[in-house]
Structure formats: structure tokens, C-alpha cells
Amino acid sequence: MSGTQYVRGSGRRRDRGQGGVEYVALIGVVAAIVGAIVALTVPDDTSVALKDAVCRIVNAGDGGEGCDSGAGGDGDDGGGGDDGGPLPPPPPGDPFQPAKCLLAQDQTKTTVVVQILFIKISGSEQIKLQQWSDGTVTLERVTESGGGVTASISAGIPGLKDWGGSASLSGSYMKGSGSGGQWLFNGNKTGDPQKDLELNLEDAKKFTEYLKAQDDCNSRSGRSELQMICSYHANNKKPDLPPERAPDVDITKTSTEVSGGVSFGKSFTKGKGGKDKDGKPTDLGSISGEFGTGTMTEDVVVMRANTGPDAGKITFIYTFSVDAKGGELAQGKATRMQQVAVTYDAKTFDQEEKDGKEHRPQKLVITTSQENGEGVGVQVGAGANVPGTPVTIDVGGGGGNIKSQIHTESAEVVLDNDGDSKLVEDWLRGRGDFPASDALPTPSDAAKAPGSDAGPLERLLYNKGKLSRLDYNANTDWWNASLGIGFGISAGQVTAGFKLFGIDITHEEKNQTITGNPSYATGPKNGGARQWVEWTNCTQTKPIA
């Protein structure tokens, strides 16, 4: 996609220049994904080799390098704890130290996708329970729905015809909206953040049970007296200290996805040579397993706050991610994500849009993350042709568990003057000599002393950015089920087809817990690298299992 998109309830505006996360050509990455997957062979040590192969797919834009350990940086970053040793303490009252960090998160997400011909409709519900180092807890529940278009093409792999080897490419564009609520649990204030976290988490779990019970009451039909009784018992599950309801936020989202995959299987026939006595084909169907997939996604989310401390603010979040997974029984997974969030005053922004004037952002946040993992699971499918027609019926499903490590970095800058504000807006719009189409600077890179060829954004992050780094261990349980009725036309090795109807359901439960040495970068001194030190506002509290 070229150009940065603004998405609003009544339309879309495409601006000149490149978005901050659009630094890799769409088709080139997906071609690399499919090419790399097709080139894979099953090694003796399947899980380790697959994990490395998947990492090379994710890093295709960087020359196919294997994954690193996720420690972040390359050693020339001011030192401090990258080797697992203790970090130096921060300077007293350092204004560059962020106030809090995420200690742990439990997340459940269910997604249903329905496809009719080239039309794709999706719906999802996501629940997050988050523990923060200042002793507070947040509970978030968001539902999203959207619609769009999709198409795909597949090709057989030469030399593997007897084994049903095939590679596929698909692309889709979705536009949707979301709604939901977030609750803040901060009523317990004992003066000890660890004790507060324990008490607030207990309240959050009670409130979660209340929400489940209330949903059950709302789903029942019948006499109002019975519903009142049900609600009465549900209310008894509320914690003694009710949470604060987070501000009302309107959410709009667009998503562009391109994916590639490889599967291997076996076709089944009856009769000699797969033909009956009259010489007609007797294809009984096939069973296949998904060997590897790669997906590249670009999301644009617009959040407009209507109430609360951020009332009157509008934030645009641009996210670019590449995700790959390989293997049937021994699975490897890797994800790389880059995100840019820019916040404006909503009223001023709307007037500037109307008048065709340049915008002036108030805050910039850049976040990068990389996740590498492996585990066990299965993803299989079976299909059959309707005799005498090009129609196929496919069913599939699977599930598994993946243990992974997540390394995430963040850089936040408050744009408190016109010069900085214009600098960021010009960068985002692709104006000037250092547009956002260039590789996005990571927070680790921003801590290094800028070279003579550094751009103005890199210098701004170095001079004023709050830079932080975190590591997590994560565990993901997932399952998937699908049904499809398709129509295909073959020409040699290539098959062009589409689904007449399809439904795909995915459920994922993921928990992550902080590990390693949380760190942040102190302010610049004498033009040298900013030093990474212990993030004491993060380490003062331990996550609760």
C-alpha cells in the first residue's frame, strides 16, 4: 500500500508519502515467505530447524538472517545488563524513567471469519487482564466486526505431485469498527504496590465473574422476574471496591493482509490407476497437513476519546507485522511487529482536515516487538471433489501449544513545541529528506549517539525520547476449525479458485509474564550513547501468577 491512510467514520483520506510502518514491499515479502516455505525440507531435528527457518522467513526483509536471542540492540548501546548481569541503578528523580510497565497479561480471543464468494466478514471478541507495576490492574473487553474482499491463487510444487504438495497466495482487505469497555482497578491503596496489586487483582477476577454472570442473565429469555433474580445473584459477585470505568472511545480499523502457505497431503482413489472400468477418474478426496504459513498484515486503527482524561484526543495507530509458522507436529513460530502511534487534538485536527492545513501532533510513540517460539500441535485438513464438477469441499482443524519469548521496545516523545510537532508530521507524511518510508528506528538504535548521517527523527528520539526495553515469557494455547466449499479452475500447475462459502473459527488463550532485566535509557550526556539502567518503577513489583 502506498500512502498513509486516515480512517474516519464517514470516509478515508489518503495522504502523500509513506506511512511509518510501510518499509517493505508487499509482494516482495510474501514472495519471500512462499519461496522460503517451499524450499523447506523436513530435517532430523524438526522443531529447532523449523524455528530457524521460520525466523528467516520473518527476517526476509533483512536479508534472511536467522533470529537473534531477542535481547535487543547490538552491544553498542551504553551497556548495562544485556549479558544477563545486574543493571546500574537510575539517577535519582530521572525524568526519563517511565512511570510504570506491564508485568503480566492474560488474553483470550475468539475470531470467526465467514467468506461468501469474494466477500469476507469477520467478528472477534478479545478479553485482556493486565497487571501493572504501580499496583493497578486493568480489565479490557473489545468486540470487533468488519467486512471486506479476498482472493487467492495456488500452485502445485513440481516433483511433489504424488504427495499433493502445493503453495498458495491470498490477499484480503478489511474495514471494521470496534467497541467495548475497559475497567481500572486501583481502589486498594495500602502504600505497598505489591499488596495493592494482589488486592486489585482479586477484585478484577471477581468483577470478571460478575460480567460472565451478567452476560448469562442477558442471554436468557422469559419472565422479567426470573431475570431480576438472575441479576441479583450476578450483582453479589461484584467486588467491594468497584472499578473505574475507562473513557468512552470510538474505534475504527482497516486491515490489509497478504499471506502464503504450503501444505502436503495424499489423494485417495479406487480402482486401477485411479480410474473405474470405464476409464473415468475415481477421486475419493484427500487429506493434508499445513506445513508452513506466512502472513503480512498492515492495520490502521483510529481511536477517538469522548470522555475521561484524554477526552478530545484522536490517535492514529499504524501497525505492520510479519508472522510465520512452520510444522505440523513440531511447530515453530515467529512474529515481528512495528507500530507508530500519533496523537492529535481532535477538534484542531478536524478543522485542519476541513481547511486542508497541515496537522500538528502532540505525542509520538514507536513500539517494536519480536516473538520467537516453538511447541507441539497439529493442523490437518481433508477435502473431496464433487463428481463431475470443479466444486470441492474441505474441512480442517487443529490445535496446539507454543511457548515463546517476546522482546519489546518503546520510545515515547511528547511534542510540546511547533518545531518537534512539524518534524514528526513531515516524517510521517514522507516530506523532506528522511521520510517514514525509510526503515523505522528502533528504541535501541535511538539510544546510540547519532551519526553524521542521522535524520531529524533519530536525533529527536535520542534527545527527548523515553526509551524502554522489556522481555516476556509467553504460553499460547490455540485451536482452529474450518469448513469450505470451493470452486477451482486448473491450468497446468496453477489453480485459480475461490470459495463459494467458508467459515473459520480460531480460539487463542495467551498469557505472558515479565522476565529478564527491565531497563530504560537515561538522558544523553556529552553526545555519547545513552546508558541503559534498571527500570526501578518496573522492578518494584512482581507479577502474580
Side-chain angles (χ1 to χ4, degrees), residues 56-260:
R56 292 179 183 276
I57 294 169
V58 173
N59 291 329
D62 296 332
E65 297 291 335
C67 291
D68 57 25
S69 63
D74 59 10
D76 183 23
D77 59 354
D82 273 356
D83 58 356
L87 290 159
D94 188 359
F96 283 92
Q97 179 169 192
K100 64 178 181 179
C101 72
L102 178 66
L103 296 176
Q105 175 175 280
D106 293 324
Q107 175 180 304
T108 301
K109 184 175 183 179
T110 302
T111 303
V112 179
V113 179
V114 176
Q115 184 176 333
I116 302 174
L117 296 177
F118 297 104
I119 305 301
K120 197 173 184 179
I121 303 169
S122 71
S124 67
E125 181 181 49
Q126 180 173 273
I127 299 174
K128 291 181 182 179
L129 184 63
Q130 299 174 314
Q131 302 178 37
W132 298 90
S133 61
D134 62 351
T136 62
V137 176
T138 54
L139 174 65
E140 179 182 293
R141 183 167 65 170
V142 175
T143 58
E144 292 183 12
S145 61
V149 294
T150 185
S152 64
I153 187 171
S154 62
I157 300 176
L160 294 174
K161 183 177 180 181
D162 293 340
W163 293 96
S166 65
S168 65
L169 277 175
S170 62
S172 62
Y173 171 80
M174 301 285 292
K175 181 176 182 180
S177 61
S179 63
Q182 186 185 72
W183 295 266
L184 173 64
F185 296 83
N186 64 346
N188 295 283
K189 301 182 186 297
T190 65
D192 178 0
Q194 187 69 52
K195 185 63 175 178
D196 291 345
L197 182 64
E198 295 175 3
L199 296 174
N200 288 326
L201 182 61
E202 184 178 347
D203 287 346
K205 290 180 177 179
K206 289 180 180 178
F207 192 76
T208 301
E209 293 302 316
Y210 157 73
L211 291 177
K212 292 179 181 178
Q214 193 63 52
D215 284 345
D216 182 61
C217 295
N218 295 336
S219 65
R220 295 184 180 185
S221 59
R223 296 172 57 184
S224 59
E225 293 90 344
L226 295 178
Q227 288 186 326
M228 290 176 62
I229 295 173
C230 182
S231 296
Y232 171 79
H233 288 290
N235 287 330
N236 288 336
K237 299 180 182 293
K238 284 185 177 180
D240 294 334
L241 295 175
E244 292 183 15
R245 181 65 185 254
D248 175 33
V249 178
D250 293 332
I251 303 172
T252 305
K253 178 180 180 180
T254 59
S255 180
T256 304
E257 175 185 294
V258 182
S259 61

Side-chain angles (χ1 to χ4, degrees), residues 333 371 400-404 474-478 508-510:
K333 176 184 178 181
E371 179 175 1
N401 173 270
I402 293 179
K403 297 184 183 301
S404 57
N475 185 75
T476 304
D477 290 309
W478 65 275
E508 182 179 282
E509 295 183 9
K510 181 176 184 177

Side-chain angles (χ1 to χ4, degrees), residues 307-321:
T307 61
D310 290 328
K313 305 292 185 183
I314 184 170
T315 300
F316 294 83
I317 305 172
Y318 309 93
T319 305
F320 181 87
S321 61

Side-chain angles (χ1 to χ4, degrees), residues 365-395:
V365 179
I366 294 176
T367 304
T368 66
S369 74
Q370 181 167 308
E371 179 175 1
N372 306 316
E374 58 188 349
V376 295
V378 62
Q379 182 77 43
V380 298
N385 291 95
V386 177
T389 73
V391 176
T392 61
I393 299 176
D394 298 287
V395 295

